[in-house]
Amino acid sequence: MGVKKSAYRQPVTPEGLKAIENGTLTWLDDEMYNNLNTGVLEQYLEEKNLKESFEISHWDTKKVLVGIAIGAIFSGVTAYIGLKLGLAISAAWYIAYLLGMALKWSPSEVNIATSATTGATHASTGFIFTFPAIFLLATNADYALADGPLISLEDGEAMRLAFVGIVASMFAGFLGVMYFIIFRRVWLVEDPLPLPGFEATLKMLDISSDVSTGAVKHARESLKTIGLWTGLTMIGLFLIEYPLIWVGERKIALMDWFAELLTADSFGLASFYSHGKIHQPGEVVDGMAAGPANWSSEMWYNPFSYTYLGIALTPSMFAIGWFMKTRVAFLVNLGTIVGWFILVPLAVGLNMPVYDAMVQANIPIQEYSSNGRSDALQMLAFSKTVRTVAIGSIVGGGLFGLVKMWRTFANIFGDIGKAFKGDGGQEYIEGKGWYEWPLSHIPLFMILTFVSMIVIFILGGFPMIASIVFAFVLIATTFLLGAIAVRVMGETGIEPVSGTSFIVLLMLLGVFLNFQEFLNLSTEEAVLLGLVGTTVFGSAISMSGTVIGDYKNSLYIGNRPYHISKGNIMGVVPGAIIGAGVAIFLSIQLAEGRIDLIAPQANAFATFSVIFAEGQGDLVLLGLGFLLGMFVEWATGMGTSFGLGMYLDVPHTLPMLIGGVARDKWEEKKLQPRIDAIKEKEGTTAAEKQRALILLGTFMIAAGLLTGEAFFGTESSVLSFVDSLWSEEFANSSTWYIARLVSFVALNVFIGGMIYILFKRAGVIGGSEPEEALVLDA
């Protein structure tokens, strides 16, 4: 029989094989690192863990609750970032790791606690990507039909849908964790998936085990760094975005006021800076920025009337670029470049007809200028044509990415069979306890979830037969598409939540819209059920993708898989409630125009719902985008990211590229020479640990940028909502203006004070030893 091979499988080293044969290879030693993803190492460690993990892997409820609290809080932060940028990036696990290191937890304790953190953070993913589409369809004029919106939400309707979505997502999240138990041994032990990037978290666990490296001190300094950069980011955004200055009847940000101060009637600083963006020359009317240059037949030669270029002062995009590095950031920017340098200028220059849903007709785009509309034509071209192409590209890239891996998926059923035949190893060790969660619980939980979904959706006002159909689709798609999504994540490091969610939405809408009479559904109910159902599915497979990373790290440090499963499951409930609550609140504010969030996936889901329910929209552009996404996926493997970049504008993606290039240049010019010097003086092991610590410091700055913008944006959304509760007269009065400002400052002082007290008690601030018992009892 030949040696088993795969594109990512590594050969075992002679030294590693010798250490395995002698039984001297252990967790976190050099030979372990040299033999990651060999299969031989993983099977050896699995046998070692079966014997020895019970002495290492201990459950501590208090520490797990700390992890859950961090994850639950940052689930709201993740919701804001996801809606703003279309990327559900979270810094929660960094902070949980750092706090555990600062409190001198063992690697086992850190791994178990952060499994609860990641579970809480990702339990509400569906509410970030899909659920906002419901509110966009109900209130946003861009999705209105000739006879009104496709969906109308009566009083209390949003709460009803939120109840259904949140409770159903909890059960779906449990199911997502349970399903991956089937594949743990097959995909992490026997033929281990590489999960690119997991080495960073493994190295952090390694560092936490070695106090002599200064890990505790460094962790405390990193936590201070997060706090400092969060504060600086919020102060910067306060100057850029908060309506601090009252000029006549207008309340504007300090930076906009300063730009207008240095602007004449028709030209000045406001021509190049406005509303948090440094941009191409724009129009100025009476000393105030009036948006991008408008196209006109007399000034047709003005190149700036065909596109919109600039840099948004958004710290989070720079931070995301820093995490991505140059290649991925460039591929996202490539979509933006194609959109704004090729497609938008073509649409404006060639006078392309754009679909107007209000009149249900195609209108040549230049007619909008002759009709006296204030919209800049390049912005109309972007919103009505390029974004349709981008949506098609997101879907085409995501689906083709799955199709490309058909050879991998062909073996999935064999893997399932192997797992259920008993090849999954020992679950319960006599006299010691559970090693991994029993497979026998999965069929029971499938039945429980199936029944629960039916009950939840019936209580939510949906017909019984339709609820049964959805429950069946959820069980099947979470199992099959979830397996595909996790396999993709295991091989690429990216889980295609959006791509698989589009498949589920198409399935649900196809069934519900074509069998409305049999299922006793109106068109509105069919669309609502499809979107709520896709929301639930997104949360389920996101949990499957989350648990794989926790399992992989646990194998290399000697933790029991049972504790990882338990931690993720415990994090689901608070994460689903808080994360979904924040996402729903922000979605309502977004749909009603109180905040400006891009929400590309939600807009894509809303567009598809209109097209399939009413046949509206430009299917040709959608199809072209679909083909373009497939081509880019084939050529680069980043079709979905390309489509996402096309959906964004240049000012928002350029900071991402700047961040990615800055990271690579910094590593090349500053980090590598320093690491080479350490390697020459102290050896490779010490150098690599220092590399991880130094990189971690930069990640904490990036995490502070993300957290600061998310906190500021959420607080601003709350204030905008409170504004709407008052009468227009009081909301625009000096009394409320002063009270609003004082409340905003007081809220942040209070939050900052609470964090300071927590860090002080933990020993993070002040240099004392951590009062661990006090922190954990708090």
Side-chain angles (χ1 to χ4, degrees):
M1 188 173 79
V3 177
K4 193 171 185 179
K5 297 179 180 178
S6 67
Y8 48 81
R9 192 74 173 269
Q10 301 297 317
V12 63
T13 64
E15 294 81 5
L17 187 59
K18 183 177 180 180
I20 289 172
E21 290 175 345
N22 295 333
T24 57
L25 191 152
T26 190
W27 307 290
L28 301 177
D29 67 12
D30 289 343
E31 288 309 320
M32 189 203 80
Y33 280 108
N34 292 335
N35 289 278
L36 296 177
N37 297 317
T38 60
V40 177
L41 169 70
E42 285 73 18
Q43 292 176 48
Y44 166 80
L45 289 178
E46 177 78 352
E47 294 302 317
K48 181 179 177 68
N49 292 347
L50 278 165
K51 298 174 183 177
E52 303 177 27
S53 65
F54 294 89
E55 302 301 321
I56 297 173
S57 182
H58 298 291
W59 180 268
D60 189 322
T61 302
K62 294 179 180 178
K63 292 175 181 177
V64 170
L65 289 176
V66 172
I68 290 174
I70 295 171
I73 292 170
F74 276 84
S75 65
V77 175
T78 303
Y80 180 85
I81 295 296
L83 285 169
K84 184 177 180 68
L85 307 173
L87 300 167
I89 292 178
S90 172
W93 71 270
Y94 284 115
I95 295 170
Y97 267 65
L98 284 170
L99 186 59
M101 290 163 64
L103 296 175
K104 295 185 178 180
W105 293 355
S106 70
S108 171
E109 292 169 330
V110 173
N111 180 226
I112 294 171
T114 52
S115 71
T117 300
T118 54
T121 304
H122 292 90
S124 58
T125 300
F127 281 89
I128 300 172
F129 292 149
T130 311
F131 204 76
I134 295 173
F135 300 100
L136 292 174
L137 289 170
T139 60
N140 195 309
D142 290 341
Y143 303 105
L145 306 175
D147 56 351
L150 176 63
I151 292 174
S152 59
L153 297 179
E154 306 295 335
D155 290 341
E157 188 79 356
M159 291 301 297
R160 175 179 73 90
L161 296 174
F163 161 78
V164 172
I166 291 174
V167 178
S169 290
M170 291 178 189
F171 282 94
F174 299 151
L175 190 65
V177 175
M178 289 282 187
Y179 271 166
F180 192 75
I181 296 169
I182 299 172
F183 301 106
R184 187 197 69 83
R185 185 173 178 87
V186 176
W187 285 348
L188 294 183
V189 178
E190 295 178 357
D191 190 15
L193 295 171
L195 198 66
F198 93 95
E199 294 87 353
T201 53
L202 184 60
K203 180 59 70 174
M204 288 178 69
L205 289 169
D206 191 352
I207 291 169
S208 70
S209 71
D210 190 356
V211 178
S212 65
T213 63
V216 173
K217 180 181 178 181
H218 196 96
R220 294 175 183 173
E221 291 301 318
S222 294
L223 286 169
K224 294 176 188 177
T225 300
I226 293 175
L228 173 64
W229 282 93
T230 297
L232 291 175
T233 300
M234 295 185 72
I235 292 171
L237 290 173
F238 179 81
L239 301 177
I240 293 169
E241 296 184 10
Y242 189 87
L244 183 64
I245 306 299
W246 199 332
V247 181
E249 297 298 320
R250 297 187 305 134
K251 301 183 184 70
I252 61 174
L254 180 64
M255 290 290 290
D256 284 308
W257 173 79
F258 181 73
E260 291 181 5
L261 189 66
L262 299 180
T263 302
D265 286 345
S266 60
F267 187 78
L269 183 57
S271 302
F272 302 95
Y273 172 85
S274 62
H275 308 301
K277 296 185 184 75
I278 301 170
H279 51 70
Q280 67 185 36
E283 295 189 354
V284 172
V285 178
D286 295 331
M288 296 180 290
N294 277 278
W295 183 94
S296 67
S297 56
E298 292 79 14
M299 297 286 289
W300 62 268
Y301 52 83
N302 180 6
F304 294 118
S305 64
Y306 293 87
T307 189
Y308 182 61
L309 312 178
I311 300 176
L313 302 182
T314 168
S316 57
M317 290 302 279
F318 179 87
I320 289 171
W322 188 271
F323 283 119
M324 285 181 169
K325 302 184 73 172
T326 301
R327 179 181 179 273
V328 178
F330 173 74
L331 287 171
V332 173
N333 265 264
L334 186 60
T336 313
I337 291 169
V338 169
W340 284 96
F341 286 85
I342 299 176
L343 300 182
V344 168
L346 281 176
V348 176
L350 299 178
N351 198 21
M352 181 176 176
V354 296
Y355 183 79
D356 193 321
M358 298 300 292
V359 298
Q360 297 189 38
N362 289 310
I363 300 175
I365 193 169
Q366 292 178 13
E367 287 190 14
Y368 285 94
S369 176
S370 60
N371 290 338
R373 288 189 49 163
S374 60
D375 308 72
L377 294 195
Q378 64 267 51
M379 309 310 285
L380 279 173
F382 175 60
S383 62
K384 291 183 175 292
T385 61
V386 176
R387 279 192 161 171
T388 304
V389 176
I391 290 169
S393 184
I394 292 171
V395 180
L399 295 184
F400 189 70
L402 301 181
V403 172
K404 278 199 314 182
M405 303 190 70
W406 70 270
R407 293 182 184 275
T408 298
F409 306 145
N411 298 321
I412 285 179
F413 288 105
D415 292 342
I416 295 171
K418 289 173 63 179
F420 275 112
K421 278 194 305 183
D423 296 340
Q426 301 178 58
E427 298 168 353
Y428 184 80
I429 308 298
E430 194 66 36
K432 294 184 177 181
W434 292 103
Y435 176 71
E436 62 181 329
W437 205 283
L439 286 172
S440 59
H441 286 191
I442 297 175
L444 296 176
F445 207 85
M446 288 172 64
I447 296 171
L448 175 62
T449 303
F450 183 80
V451 174
S452 299
M453 289 297 161
I454 296 171
V455 173
I456 292 167
F457 276 82
I458 290 175
L459 291 176
F462 292 102
M464 178 182 292
I465 299 178
S467 300
I468 294 173
V469 171
F470 166 71
F472 176 79
V473 170
L474 176 71
I475 297 295
T477 54
T478 303
F479 188 67
L480 297 176
L481 293 180
I484 292 172
V486 171
R487 186 70 190 239
V488 172
M489 181 178 180
E491 295 194 355
T492 67
I494 301 171
E495 186 178 19
V497 176
S498 297
T500 50
S501 293
F502 272 112
I503 296 174
V504 173
L505 180 63
L506 295 177
M507 290 174 60
L508 292 176
L509 290 182
V511 172
F512 296 149
L513 291 172
N514 286 306
F515 298 95
Q516 286 180 243
E517 186 174 345
F518 173 74
L519 298 173
N520 194 26
L521 288 170
S522 65
T523 299
E524 178 176 321
E525 287 177 326
V527 173
L528 280 174
L529 186 53
L531 290 171
V532 174
T534 306
T535 297
V536 175
F537 167 81
S539 296
I541 68 161
S542 181
M543 288 304 301
S544 291
T546 294
V547 77
I548 182 177
D550 296 323
Y551 275 143
K552 193 165 181 72
N553 282 306
S554 72
L555 176 66
Y556 293 120
I557 64 170
N559 263 346
R560 286 187 268 168
Y562 175 77
H563 285 157
I564 302 302
S565 302
K566 188 177 177 181
N568 271 274
I569 289 171
M570 282 189 64
V572 167
V573 174
I577 294 173
I578 297 176
V582 173
I584 292 168
F585 171 76
L586 293 174
S587 299
I588 295 173
Q589 307 309 302
L590 168 67
E592 295 182 354
R594 297 194 186 100
I595 55 174
D596 182 21
L597 299 175
I598 299 172
Q601 288 91 344
N603 280 281
F605 282 119
T607 299
F608 265 79
S609 298
V610 170
I611 290 174
F612 281 94
E614 298 292 330
Q616 306 288 353
D618 196 323
L619 294 174
V620 173
L621 289 177
L622 202 65
L624 289 174
F626 189 92
L627 294 174
L628 180 59
M630 289 177 61
F631 172 77
V632 175
E633 177 65 31
W634 170 77
T636 68
M638 298 289 290
T640 303
S641 296
F642 174 86
L644 181 62
M646 190 182 295
Y647 198 92
L648 304 174
D649 57 17
V650 176
H652 281 93
T653 58
L654 191 54
M656 183 192 301
L657 183 59
I658 293 171
V661 172
R663 161 89 180 270
D664 282 345
K665 290 297 181 183
W666 174 81
E667 287 190 4
E668 177 187 348
K669 301 295 185 182
K670 299 292 184 181
L671 179 61
Q672 193 58 47
R674 184 174 175 184
I675 296 305
D676 289 341
I678 296 173
K679 185 182 297 184
E680 184 176 346
K681 184 178 181 181
E682 302 180 35
T684 301
T685 301
E688 288 306 310
K689 287 187 176 181
Q690 284 301 312
R691 178 195 293 274
L693 287 171
I694 295 168
L695 272 176
L696 181 61
T698 69
F699 289 167
M700 291 311 100
I701 295 175
L705 298 177
L706 282 171
T707 305
E709 184 160 354
F711 279 166
F712 182 87
T714 303
E715 290 174 6
S716 297
S717 301
V718 172
L719 288 175
S720 297
F721 172 71
V722 174
D723 288 345
S724 69
L725 300 178
W726 307 118
S727 65
E728 185 175 351
E729 181 180 357
F730 180 71
N732 291 313
S733 67
S734 58
T735 303
W736 172 239
Y737 173 74
I738 295 171
R740 189 185 200 270
L741 178 59
V742 171
S743 299
F744 180 80
V745 174
L747 174 63
N748 285 286
V749 169
F750 173 76
I751 294 173
M754 294 298 294
I755 293 173
Y756 177 85
I757 293 170
L758 175 63
F759 280 12
K760 185 75 173 176
R761 294 184 69 189
V764 174
I765 297 174
S768 62
E769 289 300 308
E771 300 175 31
E772 185 173 359
L774 290 176
V775 173
L776 295 179
D777 288 336

